């Protein structure tokens, strides 16, 4: 077989045999709050560094 080709006989449907009770509940561990991050650099320093990175590429 070439790159990107496939044999349809190798493809099969997956029979999902699980209960909803076994599934992960995404809202189970929700967090309602805020996050603060201080990196020690000013906005101007960060913007200057971003410009430097863009100029390198």
């Amino acid at each position: 077989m070439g790159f990107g080709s496939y044999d349809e006989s190798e493809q099969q449907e997956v029979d999902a045999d699980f209960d909803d009770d076994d599934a992960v509940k995404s809202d189970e561990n929700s967090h309602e709050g805020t996050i603060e991050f201080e990196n020690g650099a000013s906005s101007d320093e960060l913007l200057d560094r971003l410009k430097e990175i863009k100029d390198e590429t």
Side-chain angles (χ1 to χ4, degrees), residues 12-24:
Q12 57 185 338
E13 287 190 33
V14 176
D15 184 18
D17 186 24
F18 62 87
D19 297 327
D20 285 341
D21 295 335
D22 296 332
V24 174

Side-chain angles (χ1 to χ4, degrees), residues 17-55:
D17 186 24
F18 62 87
D19 297 327
D20 285 341
D21 295 335
D22 296 332
V24 174
K25 311 266 186 301
S26 63
D27 60 348
E28 187 173 275
N29 297 313
S30 64
H31 173 75
E32 306 221 2
T34 61
I35 294 177
E36 293 183 26
F37 177 76
E38 182 64 44
N39 66 0
S42 70
S43 296
D44 288 336
E45 291 172 322
L46 294 173
L47 289 171
D48 289 343
R49 180 63 185 129
L50 177 61
K51 186 176 183 300
E52 289 172 14
I53 291 170
K54 286 184 174 182
D55 289 344

Side-chain angles (χ1 to χ4, degrees), residues 3-18:
F3 179 75
S5 61
Y6 64 93
D7 184 356
E8 289 184 23
S9 66
E10 293 177 3
Q11 305 301 315
Q12 57 185 338
E13 287 190 33
V14 176
D15 184 18
D17 186 24
F18 62 87

